[in-house]
PDB file of all heavy atoms in Angstrom:
ATOM      1  N   PHE A1069      -5.416  -6.444   2.859  1.00 97.00           N
ATOM      2  CA  PHE A1069      -4.098  -6.844   3.349  1.00 97.00           C
ATOM      3  C   PHE A1069      -4.144  -6.902   4.877  1.00 97.00           C
ATOM      4  O   PHE A1069      -4.621  -5.957   5.524  1.00 97.00           O
ATOM      5  CB  PHE A1069      -3.013  -5.865   2.901  1.00 97.00           C
ATOM      6  CG  PHE A1069      -2.812  -5.800   1.416  1.00 97.00           C
ATOM      7  CD1 PHE A1069      -3.326  -4.746   0.682  1.00 97.00           C
ATOM      8  CD2 PHE A1069      -2.103  -6.791   0.751  1.00 97.00           C
ATOM      9  CE1 PHE A1069      -3.131  -4.676  -0.686  1.00 97.00           C
ATOM     10  CE2 PHE A1069      -1.903  -6.733  -0.615  1.00 97.00           C
ATOM     11  CZ  PHE A1069      -2.431  -5.671  -1.340  1.00 97.00           C
ATOM     12  N   THR A1070      -3.646  -8.013   5.463  1.00 95.00           N
ATOM     13  CA  THR A1070      -3.597  -8.178   6.918  1.00 95.00           C
ATOM     14  C   THR A1070      -2.150  -8.075   7.386  1.00 95.00           C
ATOM     15  O   THR A1070      -1.278  -8.796   6.895  1.00 95.00           O
ATOM     16  CB  THR A1070      -4.199  -9.519   7.345  1.00 95.00           C
ATOM     17  OG1 THR A1070      -5.552  -9.598   6.881  1.00 95.00           O
ATOM     18  CG2 THR A1070      -4.172  -9.660   8.858  1.00 95.00           C
ATOM     19  N   ILE A1071      -1.907  -7.194   8.338  1.00 92.00           N
ATOM     20  CA  ILE A1071      -0.557  -6.958   8.858  1.00 92.00           C
ATOM     21  C   ILE A1071      -0.522  -7.371  10.323  1.00 92.00           C
ATOM     22  O   ILE A1071      -1.296  -6.856  11.139  1.00 92.00           O
ATOM     23  CB  ILE A1071      -0.154  -5.479   8.708  1.00 92.00           C
ATOM     24  CG1 ILE A1071      -0.203  -5.069   7.230  1.00 92.00           C
ATOM     25  CG2 ILE A1071       1.230  -5.225   9.287  1.00 92.00           C
ATOM     26  CD1 ILE A1071       0.079  -3.602   6.999  1.00 92.00           C
ATOM     27  N   ASP A1072       0.368  -8.301  10.681  1.00 91.00           N
ATOM     28  CA  ASP A1072       0.571  -8.713  12.069  1.00 91.00           C
ATOM     29  C   ASP A1072       1.595  -7.786  12.712  1.00 91.00           C
ATOM     30  O   ASP A1072       2.722  -7.649  12.220  1.00 91.00           O
ATOM     31  CB  ASP A1072       1.057 -10.162  12.136  1.00 91.00           C
ATOM     32  CG  ASP A1072       0.007 -11.138  11.627  1.00 91.00           C
ATOM     33  OD1 ASP A1072      -1.183 -10.888  11.874  1.00 91.00           O
ATOM     34  OD2 ASP A1072       0.379 -12.138  10.980  1.00 91.00           O
ATOM     35  N   ILE A1073       1.220  -7.182  13.809  1.00 88.00           N
ATOM     36  CA  ILE A1073       2.099  -6.246  14.497  1.00 88.00           C
ATOM     37  C   ILE A1073       3.026  -7.041  15.417  1.00 88.00           C
ATOM     38  O   ILE A1073       2.621  -7.518  16.477  1.00 88.00           O
ATOM     39  CB  ILE A1073       1.293  -5.209  15.292  1.00 88.00           C
ATOM     40  CG1 ILE A1073       0.297  -4.491  14.380  1.00 88.00           C
ATOM     41  CG2 ILE A1073       2.224  -4.199  15.951  1.00 88.00           C
ATOM     42  CD1 ILE A1073       0.924  -3.785  13.207  1.00 88.00           C
ATOM     43  N   GLY A1074       4.272  -7.203  14.984  1.00 83.00           N
ATOM     44  CA  GLY A1074       5.245  -7.930  15.785  1.00 83.00           C
ATOM     45  C   GLY A1074       6.171  -7.027  16.566  1.00 83.00           C
ATOM     46  O   GLY A1074       6.584  -7.352  17.677  1.00 83.00           O
ATOM     47  N   ASN A1075       6.491  -5.867  16.015  1.00 83.00           N
ATOM     48  CA  ASN A1075       7.365  -4.909  16.682  1.00 83.00           C
ATOM     49  C   ASN A1075       7.141  -3.538  16.063  1.00 83.00           C
ATOM     50  O   ASN A1075       6.270  -3.347  15.204  1.00 83.00           O
ATOM     51  CB  ASN A1075       8.844  -5.336  16.564  1.00 83.00           C
ATOM     52  CG  ASN A1075       9.221  -5.671  15.121  1.00 83.00           C
ATOM     53  OD1 ASN A1075       8.971  -4.891  14.193  1.00 83.00           O
ATOM     54  ND2 ASN A1075       9.815  -6.834  14.922  1.00 83.00           N
ATOM     55  N   SER A1076       7.947  -2.582  16.503  1.00 81.00           N
ATOM     56  CA  SER A1076       7.786  -1.206  16.021  1.00 81.00           C
ATOM     57  C   SER A1076       8.151  -1.044  14.548  1.00 81.00           C
ATOM     58  O   SER A1076       7.800  -0.034  13.929  1.00 81.00           O
ATOM     59  CB  SER A1076       8.649  -0.268  16.871  1.00 81.00           C
ATOM     60  OG  SER A1076      10.027  -0.642  16.779  1.00 81.00           O
ATOM     61  N   GLN A1077       8.843  -2.013  13.953  1.00 84.00           N
ATOM     62  CA  GLN A1077       9.232  -1.913  12.547  1.00 84.00           C
ATOM     63  C   GLN A1077       8.021  -1.983  11.611  1.00 84.00           C
ATOM     64  O   GLN A1077       8.089  -1.532  10.465  1.00 84.00           O
ATOM     65  CB  GLN A1077      10.223  -3.029  12.190  1.00 84.00           C
ATOM     66  CG  GLN A1077      11.507  -3.004  13.007  1.00 84.00           C
ATOM     67  CD  GLN A1077      12.294  -1.708  12.787  1.00 84.00           C
ATOM     68  OE1 GLN A1077      12.339  -1.188  11.683  1.00 84.00           O
ATOM     69  NE2 GLN A1077      12.903  -1.209  13.848  1.00 84.00           N
ATOM     70  N   THR A1078       6.929  -2.557  12.090  1.00 88.00           N
ATOM     71  CA  THR A1078       5.738  -2.666  11.236  1.00 88.00           C
ATOM     72  C   THR A1078       4.932  -1.371  11.208  1.00 88.00           C
ATOM     73  O   THR A1078       4.000  -1.253  10.418  1.00 88.00           O
ATOM     74  CB  THR A1078       4.840  -3.803  11.737  1.00 88.00           C
ATOM     75  OG1 THR A1078       4.572  -3.609  13.136  1.00 88.00           O
ATOM     76  CG2 THR A1078       5.522  -5.146  11.546  1.00 88.00           C
ATOM     77  N   ALA A1079       5.267  -0.422  12.055  1.00 89.00           N
ATOM     78  CA  ALA A1079       4.568   0.861  12.034  1.00 89.00           C
ATOM     79  C   ALA A1079       5.063   1.702  10.858  1.00 89.00           C
ATOM     80  O   ALA A1079       6.110   1.445  10.271  1.00 89.00           O
ATOM     81  CB  ALA A1079       4.774   1.596  13.352  1.00 89.00           C
ATOM     82  N   GLY A1080       4.260   2.711  10.496  1.00 92.00           N
ATOM     83  CA  GLY A1080       4.649   3.598   9.411  1.00 92.00           C
ATOM     84  C   GLY A1080       3.470   3.979   8.542  1.00 92.00           C
ATOM     85  O   GLY A1080       2.305   3.729   8.868  1.00 92.00           O
ATOM     86  N   ASN A1081       3.777   4.606   7.397  1.00 94.00           N
ATOM     87  CA  ASN A1081       2.762   5.054   6.443  1.00 94.00           C
ATOM     88  C   ASN A1081       2.619   4.028   5.319  1.00 94.00           C
ATOM     89  O   ASN A1081       3.613   3.620   4.720  1.00 94.00           O
ATOM     90  CB  ASN A1081       3.142   6.416   5.865  1.00 94.00           C
ATOM     91  CG  ASN A1081       3.218   7.497   6.931  1.00 94.00           C
ATOM     92  OD1 ASN A1081       2.377   7.544   7.822  1.00 94.00           O
ATOM     93  ND2 ASN A1081       4.221   8.354   6.845  1.00 94.00           N
ATOM     94  N   TYR A1082       1.386   3.646   5.042  1.00 96.00           N
ATOM     95  CA  TYR A1082       1.102   2.641   4.009  1.00 96.00           C
ATOM     96  C   TYR A1082       0.271   3.261   2.896  1.00 96.00           C
ATOM     97  O   TYR A1082      -0.596   4.112   3.146  1.00 96.00           O
ATOM     98  CB  TYR A1082       0.359   1.441   4.610  1.00 96.00           C
ATOM     99  CG  TYR A1082       1.219   0.544   5.479  1.00 96.00           C
ATOM    100  CD1 TYR A1082       1.485   0.874   6.806  1.00 96.00           C
ATOM    101  CD2 TYR A1082       1.760  -0.632   4.968  1.00 96.00           C
ATOM    102  CE1 TYR A1082       2.272   0.053   7.599  1.00 96.00           C
ATOM    103  CE2 TYR A1082       2.540  -1.460   5.761  1.00 96.00           C
ATOM    104  CZ  TYR A1082       2.791  -1.113   7.073  1.00 96.00           C
ATOM    105  OH  TYR A1082       3.565  -1.928   7.861  1.00 96.00           O
ATOM    106  N   ARG A1083       0.519   2.805   1.660  1.00 96.00           N
ATOM    107  CA  ARG A1083      -0.261   3.214   0.505  1.00 96.00           C
ATOM    108  C   ARG A1083      -0.266   2.058  -0.499  1.00 96.00           C
ATOM    109  O   ARG A1083       0.571   1.151  -0.418  1.00 96.00           O
ATOM    110  CB  ARG A1083       0.317   4.470  -0.135  1.00 96.00           C
ATOM    111  CG  ARG A1083       1.770   4.323  -0.584  1.00 96.00           C
ATOM    112  CD  ARG A1083       2.288   5.593  -1.209  1.00 96.00           C
ATOM    113  NE  ARG A1083       3.670   5.434  -1.675  1.00 96.00           N
ATOM    114  CZ  ARG A1083       4.314   6.335  -2.425  1.00 96.00           C
ATOM    115  NH1 ARG A1083       3.701   7.451  -2.777  1.00 96.00           N
ATOM    116  NH2 ARG A1083       5.556   6.114  -2.806  1.00 96.00           N
ATOM    117  N   CYS A1084      -1.188   2.087  -1.444  1.00 96.00           N
ATOM    118  CA  CYS A1084      -1.292   0.980  -2.386  1.00 96.00           C
ATOM    119  C   CYS A1084      -1.459   1.503  -3.815  1.00 96.00           C
ATOM    120  O   CYS A1084      -1.805   2.668  -4.040  1.00 96.00           O
ATOM    121  CB  CYS A1084      -2.456   0.053  -2.020  1.00 96.00           C
ATOM    122  SG  CYS A1084      -4.076   0.837  -1.981  1.00 96.00           S
ATOM    123  N   GLU A1085      -1.209   0.616  -4.766  1.00 97.00           N
ATOM    124  CA  GLU A1085      -1.399   0.862  -6.196  1.00 97.00           C
ATOM    125  C   GLU A1085      -1.806  -0.458  -6.838  1.00 97.00           C
ATOM    126  O   GLU A1085      -1.773  -1.511  -6.190  1.00 97.00           O
ATOM    127  CB  GLU A1085      -0.108   1.392  -6.831  1.00 97.00           C
ATOM    128  CG  GLU A1085       1.040   0.405  -6.772  1.00 97.00           C
ATOM    129  CD  GLU A1085       2.267   0.883  -7.530  1.00 97.00           C
ATOM    130  OE1 GLU A1085       2.169   1.868  -8.272  1.00 97.00           O
ATOM    131  OE2 GLU A1085       3.330   0.249  -7.376  1.00 97.00           O
ATOM    132  N   TYR A1086      -2.210  -0.415  -8.111  1.00 97.00           N
ATOM    133  CA  TYR A1086      -2.581  -1.644  -8.815  1.00 97.00           C
ATOM    134  C   TYR A1086      -2.235  -1.504 -10.288  1.00 97.00           C
ATOM    135  O   TYR A1086      -2.048  -0.383 -10.812  1.00 97.00           O
ATOM    136  CB  TYR A1086      -4.073  -1.951  -8.649  1.00 97.00           C
ATOM    137  CG  TYR A1086      -5.000  -0.955  -9.287  1.00 97.00           C
ATOM    138  CD1 TYR A1086      -5.473  -1.148 -10.590  1.00 97.00           C
ATOM    139  CD2 TYR A1086      -5.421   0.182  -8.602  1.00 97.00           C
ATOM    140  CE1 TYR A1086      -6.339  -0.241 -11.184  1.00 97.00           C
ATOM    141  CE2 TYR A1086      -6.282   1.086  -9.185  1.00 97.00           C
ATOM    142  CZ  TYR A1086      -6.744   0.883 -10.473  1.00 97.00           C
ATOM    143  OH  TYR A1086      -7.593   1.787 -11.059  1.00 97.00           O
ATOM    144  N   GLN A1087      -2.136  -2.641 -10.921  1.00 96.00           N
ATOM    145  CA  GLN A1087      -1.965  -2.675 -12.365  1.00 96.00           C
ATOM    146  C   GLN A1087      -2.984  -3.644 -12.966  1.00 96.00           C
ATOM    147  O   GLN A1087      -3.355  -4.634 -12.348  1.00 96.00           O
ATOM    148  CB  GLN A1087      -0.541  -3.086 -12.752  1.00 96.00           C
ATOM    149  CG  GLN A1087      -0.163  -4.513 -12.388  1.00 96.00           C
ATOM    150  CD  GLN A1087       1.216  -4.894 -12.897  1.00 96.00           C
ATOM    151  OE1 GLN A1087       1.996  -4.042 -13.311  1.00 96.00           O
ATOM    152  NE2 GLN A1087       1.525  -6.182 -12.850  1.00 96.00           N
ATOM    153  N   THR A1088      -3.455  -3.316 -14.183  1.00 96.00           N
ATOM    154  CA  THR A1088      -4.452  -4.133 -14.855  1.00 96.00           C
ATOM    155  C   THR A1088      -4.253  -4.030 -16.363  1.00 96.00           C
ATOM    156  O   THR A1088      -3.687  -3.047 -16.864  1.00 96.00           O
ATOM    157  CB  THR A1088      -5.870  -3.691 -14.467  1.00 96.00           C
ATOM    158  OG1 THR A1088      -6.826  -4.555 -15.073  1.00 96.00           O
ATOM    159  CG2 THR A1088      -6.142  -2.265 -14.896  1.00 96.00           C
ATOM    160  N   GLU A1089      -4.704  -5.039 -17.070  1.00 94.00           N
ATOM    161  CA  GLU A1089      -4.534  -5.067 -18.520  1.00 94.00           C
ATOM    162  C   GLU A1089      -5.687  -4.329 -19.203  1.00 94.00           C
ATOM    163  O   GLU A1089      -6.857  -4.645 -18.986  1.00 94.00           O
ATOM    164  CB  GLU A1089      -4.478  -6.511 -19.021  1.00 94.00           C
ATOM    165  CG  GLU A1089      -4.213  -6.620 -20.521  1.00 94.00           C
ATOM    166  CD  GLU A1089      -4.082  -8.055 -20.981  1.00 94.00           C
ATOM    167  OE1 GLU A1089      -3.891  -8.945 -20.119  1.00 94.00           O
ATOM    168  OE2 GLU A1089      -4.186  -8.287 -22.208  1.00 94.00           O
ATOM    169  N   ILE A1090      -5.338  -3.350 -20.042  1.00 93.00           N
ATOM    170  CA  ILE A1090      -6.323  -2.558 -20.781  1.00 93.00           C
ATOM    171  C   ILE A1090      -5.916  -2.523 -22.250  1.00 93.00           C
ATOM    172  O   ILE A1090      -4.828  -2.048 -22.583  1.00 93.00           O
ATOM    173  CB  ILE A1090      -6.425  -1.122 -20.217  1.00 93.00           C
ATOM    174  CG1 ILE A1090      -6.814  -1.155 -18.736  1.00 93.00           C
ATOM    175  CG2 ILE A1090      -7.439  -0.302 -21.006  1.00 93.00           C
ATOM    176  CD1 ILE A1090      -6.860   0.212 -18.087  1.00 93.00           C
ATOM    177  N   GLU A1091      -6.779  -3.077 -23.081  1.00 89.00           N
ATOM    178  CA  GLU A1091      -6.544  -3.080 -24.527  1.00 89.00           C
ATOM    179  C   GLU A1091      -5.185  -3.686 -24.885  1.00 89.00           C
ATOM    180  O   GLU A1091      -4.427  -3.132 -25.705  1.00 89.00           O
ATOM    181  CB  GLU A1091      -6.673  -1.671 -25.097  1.00 89.00           C
ATOM    182  CG  GLU A1091      -8.053  -1.047 -24.937  1.00 89.00           C
ATOM    183  CD  GLU A1091      -9.139  -1.824 -25.666  1.00 89.00           C
ATOM    184  OE1 GLU A1091      -8.845  -2.376 -26.748  1.00 89.00           O
ATOM    185  OE2 GLU A1091     -10.278  -1.898 -25.144  1.00 89.00           O
ATOM    186  N   GLY A1092      -4.857  -4.799 -24.223  1.00 90.00           N
ATOM    187  CA  GLY A1092      -3.650  -5.537 -24.562  1.00 90.00           C
ATOM    188  C   GLY A1092      -2.378  -5.035 -23.925  1.00 90.00           C
ATOM    189  O   GLY A1092      -1.302  -5.573 -24.204  1.00 90.00           O
ATOM    190  N   ARG A1093      -2.434  -4.065 -23.053  1.00 92.00           N
ATOM    191  CA  ARG A1093      -1.215  -3.572 -22.386  1.00 92.00           C
ATOM    192  C   ARG A1093      -1.488  -3.380 -20.895  1.00 92.00           C
ATOM    193  O   ARG A1093      -2.636  -3.156 -20.483  1.00 92.00           O
ATOM    194  CB  ARG A1093      -0.731  -2.262 -23.009  1.00 92.00           C
ATOM    195  CG  ARG A1093      -1.690  -1.097 -22.829  1.00 92.00           C
ATOM    196  CD  ARG A1093      -1.176   0.139 -23.549  1.00 92.00           C
ATOM    197  NE  ARG A1093      -2.055   1.290 -23.360  1.00 92.00           N
ATOM    198  CZ  ARG A1093      -1.920   2.165 -22.389  1.00 92.00           C
ATOM    199  NH1 ARG A1093      -0.941   2.025 -21.492  1.00 92.00           N
ATOM    200  NH2 ARG A1093      -2.735   3.199 -22.304  1.00 92.00           N
ATOM    201  N   MET A1094      -0.424  -3.479 -20.088  1.00 94.00           N
ATOM    202  CA  MET A1094      -0.547  -3.328 -18.642  1.00 94.00           C
ATOM    203  C   MET A1094      -0.509  -1.846 -18.287  1.00 94.00           C
ATOM    204  O   MET A1094       0.409  -1.124 -18.668  1.00 94.00           O
ATOM    205  CB  MET A1094       0.559  -4.077 -17.913  1.00 94.00           C
ATOM    206  CG  MET A1094       0.540  -5.585 -18.136  1.00 94.00           C
ATOM    207  SD  MET A1094      -1.018  -6.370 -17.616  1.00 94.00           S
ATOM    208  CE  MET A1094      -0.988  -6.025 -15.870  1.00 94.00           C
ATOM    209  N   ALA A1095      -1.510  -1.399 -17.578  1.00 96.00           N
ATOM    210  CA  ALA A1095      -1.589  -0.007 -17.126  1.00 96.00           C
ATOM    211  C   ALA A1095      -1.466   0.017 -15.610  1.00 96.00           C
ATOM    212  O   ALA A1095      -2.094  -0.780 -14.908  1.00 96.00           O
ATOM    213  CB  ALA A1095      -2.898   0.621 -17.579  1.00 96.00           C
ATOM    214  N   VAL A1096      -0.652   0.952 -15.102  1.00 96.00           N
ATOM    215  CA  VAL A1096      -0.396   1.075 -13.664  1.00 96.00           C
ATOM    216  C   VAL A1096      -1.070   2.330 -13.147  1.00 96.00           C
ATOM    217  O   VAL A1096      -0.960   3.406 -13.753  1.00 96.00           O
ATOM    218  CB  VAL A1096       1.121   1.107 -13.374  1.00 96.00           C
ATOM    219  CG1 VAL A1096       1.360   1.218 -11.858  1.00 96.00           C
ATOM    220  CG2 VAL A1096       1.794  -0.142 -13.928  1.00 96.00           C
ATOM    221  N   SER A1097      -1.743   2.206 -12.035  1.00 97.00           N
ATOM    222  CA  SER A1097      -2.457   3.337 -11.434  1.00 97.00           C
ATOM    223  C   SER A1097      -1.505   4.206 -10.620  1.00 97.00           C
ATOM    224  O   SER A1097      -0.417   3.748 -10.224  1.00 97.00           O
ATOM    225  CB  SER A1097      -3.573   2.830 -10.534  1.00 97.00           C
ATOM    226  OG  SER A1097      -3.030   2.278  -9.337  1.00 97.00           O
ATOM    227  N   PRO A1098      -1.895   5.436 -10.309  1.00 96.00           N
ATOM    228  CA  PRO A1098      -1.134   6.233  -9.337  1.00 96.00           C
ATOM    229  C   PRO A1098      -1.288   5.645  -7.943  1.00 96.00           C
ATOM    230  O   PRO A1098      -2.114   4.764  -7.700  1.00 96.00           O
ATOM    231  CB  PRO A1098      -1.783   7.621  -9.430  1.00 96.00           C
ATOM    232  CG  PRO A1098      -2.575   7.613 -10.697  1.00 96.00           C
ATOM    233  CD  PRO A1098      -2.995   6.196 -10.915  1.00 96.00           C
ATOM    234  N   PHE A1099      -0.482   6.154  -6.983  1.00 96.00           N
ATOM    235  CA  PHE A1099      -0.584   5.697  -5.601  1.00 96.00           C
ATOM    236  C   PHE A1099      -1.839   6.277  -4.938  1.00 96.00           C
ATOM    237  O   PHE A1099      -2.321   7.355  -5.298  1.00 96.00           O
ATOM    238  CB  PHE A1099       0.654   6.108  -4.795  1.00 96.00           C
ATOM    239  CG  PHE A1099       1.859   5.262  -5.068  1.00 96.00           C
ATOM    240  CD1 PHE A1099       2.890   5.742  -5.868  1.00 96.00           C
ATOM    241  CD2 PHE A1099       1.967   3.989  -4.537  1.00 96.00           C
ATOM    242  CE1 PHE A1099       4.006   4.969  -6.124  1.00 96.00           C
ATOM    243  CE2 PHE A1099       3.080   3.202  -4.789  1.00 96.00           C
ATOM    244  CZ  PHE A1099       4.104   3.692  -5.590  1.00 96.00           C
ATOM    245  N   SER A1100      -2.321   5.545  -3.989  1.00 96.00           N
ATOM    246  CA  SER A1100      -3.457   6.019  -3.193  1.00 96.00           C
ATOM    247  C   SER A1100      -2.979   7.009  -2.143  1.00 96.00           C
ATOM    248  O   SER A1100      -1.781   7.303  -2.033  1.00 96.00           O
ATOM    249  CB  SER A1100      -4.134   4.830  -2.503  1.00 96.00           C
ATOM    250  OG  SER A1100      -3.257   4.271  -1.527  1.00 96.00           O
ATOM    251  N   ASN A1101      -3.913   7.512  -1.347  1.00 96.00           N
ATOM    252  CA  ASN A1101      -3.523   8.285  -0.162  1.00 96.00           C
ATOM    253  C   ASN A1101      -2.861   7.362   0.850  1.00 96.00           C
ATOM    254  O   ASN A1101      -2.880   6.135   0.699  1.00 96.00           O
ATOM    255  CB  ASN A1101      -4.752   8.965   0.450  1.00 96.00           C
ATOM    256  CG  ASN A1101      -5.354   9.999  -0.479  1.00 96.00           C
ATOM    257  OD1 ASN A1101      -4.646  10.647  -1.245  1.00 96.00           O
ATOM    258  ND2 ASN A1101      -6.675  10.160  -0.412  1.00 96.00           N
ATOM    259  N   GLU A1102      -2.300   7.932   1.908  1.00 95.00           N
ATOM    260  CA  GLU A1102      -1.591   7.146   2.917  1.00 95.00           C
ATOM    261  C   GLU A1102      -2.438   6.961   4.169  1.00 95.00           C
ATOM    262  O   GLU A1102      -3.231   7.830   4.541  1.00 95.00           O
ATOM    263  CB  GLU A1102      -0.266   7.814   3.293  1.00 95.00           C
ATOM    264  CG  GLU A1102       0.763   7.822   2.180  1.00 95.00           C
ATOM    265  CD  GLU A1102       2.089   8.418   2.625  1.00 95.00           C
ATOM    266  OE1 GLU A1102       2.108   9.061   3.703  1.00 95.00           O
ATOM    267  OE2 GLU A1102       3.098   8.238   1.927  1.00 95.00           O
ATOM    268  N   VAL A1103      -2.256   5.799   4.797  1.00 95.00           N
ATOM    269  CA  VAL A1103      -2.792   5.541   6.140  1.00 95.00           C
ATOM    270  C   VAL A1103      -1.609   5.266   7.059  1.00 95.00           C
ATOM    271  O   VAL A1103      -0.594   4.711   6.633  1.00 95.00           O
ATOM    272  CB  VAL A1103      -3.786   4.365   6.146  1.00 95.00           C
ATOM    273  CG1 VAL A1103      -5.035   4.715   5.364  1.00 95.00           C
ATOM    274  CG2 VAL A1103      -3.158   3.094   5.591  1.00 95.00           C
ATOM    275  N   LYS A1104      -1.741   5.639   8.319  1.00 94.00           N
ATOM    276  CA  LYS A1104      -0.609   5.563   9.247  1.00 94.00           C
ATOM    277  C   LYS A1104      -0.896   4.588  10.374  1.00 94.00           C
ATOM    278  O   LYS A1104      -1.943   4.663  11.038  1.00 94.00           O
ATOM    279  CB  LYS A1104      -0.307   6.949   9.830  1.00 94.00           C
ATOM    280  CG  LYS A1104       0.965   6.996  10.665  1.00 94.00           C
ATOM    281  CD  LYS A1104       1.273   8.420  11.082  1.00 94.00           C
ATOM    282  CE  LYS A1104       2.604   8.491  11.832  1.00 94.00           C
ATOM    283  NZ  LYS A1104       2.937   9.905  12.212  1.00 94.00           N
ATOM    284  N   ILE A1105       0.046   3.662  10.602  1.00 93.00           N
ATOM    285  CA  ILE A1105      -0.018   2.735  11.732  1.00 93.00           C
ATOM    286  C   ILE A1105       0.900   3.258  12.831  1.00 93.00           C
ATOM    287  O   ILE A1105       2.095   3.489  12.599  1.00 93.00           O
ATOM    288  CB  ILE A1105       0.387   1.309  11.319  1.00 93.00           C
ATOM    289  CG1 ILE A1105      -0.614   0.750  10.303  1.00 93.00           C
ATOM    290  CG2 ILE A1105       0.475   0.397  12.534  1.00 93.00           C
ATOM    291  CD1 ILE A1105      -0.279  -0.642   9.826  1.00 93.00           C
ATOM    292  N   ILE A1106       0.364   3.450  14.036  1.00 91.00           N
ATOM    293  CA  ILE A1106       1.111   3.981  15.176  1.00 91.00           C
ATOM    294  C   ILE A1106       1.322   2.854  16.181  1.00 91.00           C
ATOM    295  O   ILE A1106       0.359   2.220  16.631  1.00 91.00           O
ATOM    296  CB  ILE A1106       0.361   5.152  15.831  1.00 91.00           C
ATOM    297  CG1 ILE A1106       0.114   6.259  14.791  1.00 91.00           C
ATOM    298  CG2 ILE A1106       1.140   5.697  17.019  1.00 91.00           C
ATOM    299  CD1 ILE A1106      -0.745   7.387  15.308  1.00 91.00           C
ATOM    300  N   PHE A1107       2.571   2.615  16.542  1.00 88.00           N
ATOM    301  CA  PHE A1107       2.912   1.530  17.472  1.00 88.00           C
ATOM    302  C   PHE A1107       2.995   2.079  18.891  1.00 88.00           C
ATOM    303  O   PHE A1107       3.636   3.100  19.145  1.00 88.00           O
ATOM    304  CB  PHE A1107       4.250   0.903  17.068  1.00 88.00           C
ATOM    305  CG  PHE A1107       4.674  -0.246  17.950  1.00 88.00           C
ATOM    306  CD1 PHE A1107       4.128  -1.509  17.787  1.00 88.00           C
ATOM    307  CD2 PHE A1107       5.608  -0.053  18.952  1.00 88.00           C
ATOM    308  CE1 PHE A1107       4.507  -2.556  18.597  1.00 88.00           C
ATOM    309  CE2 PHE A1107       5.997  -1.089  19.767  1.00 88.00           C
ATOM    310  CZ  PHE A1107       5.445  -2.349  19.580  1.00 88.00           C
ATOM    311  N   ARG A1108       2.348   1.384  19.828  1.00 86.00           N
ATOM    312  CA  ARG A1108       2.388   1.741  21.243  1.00 86.00           C
ATOM    313  C   ARG A1108       2.888   0.556  22.041  1.00 86.00           C
ATOM    314  O   ARG A1108       2.477  -0.575  21.799  1.00 86.00           O
ATOM    315  CB  ARG A1108       0.991   2.132  21.746  1.00 86.00           C
ATOM    316  CG  ARG A1108       0.438   3.404  21.112  1.00 86.00           C
ATOM    317  CD  ARG A1108       1.036   4.631  21.748  1.00 86.00           C
ATOM    318  NE  ARG A1108       0.474   5.848  21.189  1.00 86.00           N
ATOM    319  CZ  ARG A1108      -0.639   6.427  21.631  1.00 86.00           C
ATOM    320  NH1 ARG A1108      -1.304   5.871  22.614  1.00 86.00           N
ATOM    321  NH2 ARG A1108      -1.071   7.537  21.091  1.00 86.00           N
TER     322      ARG A1108
END
């Protein structure tokens, strides 16, 4: 994922998740750890 830093609103803590089909049904993963964007 590419994030363009336009202002301080784009700063913060980010995390991701995914979903995939397993045996005919959609399974959702837990959230990942967080990464932090600091605006200067």
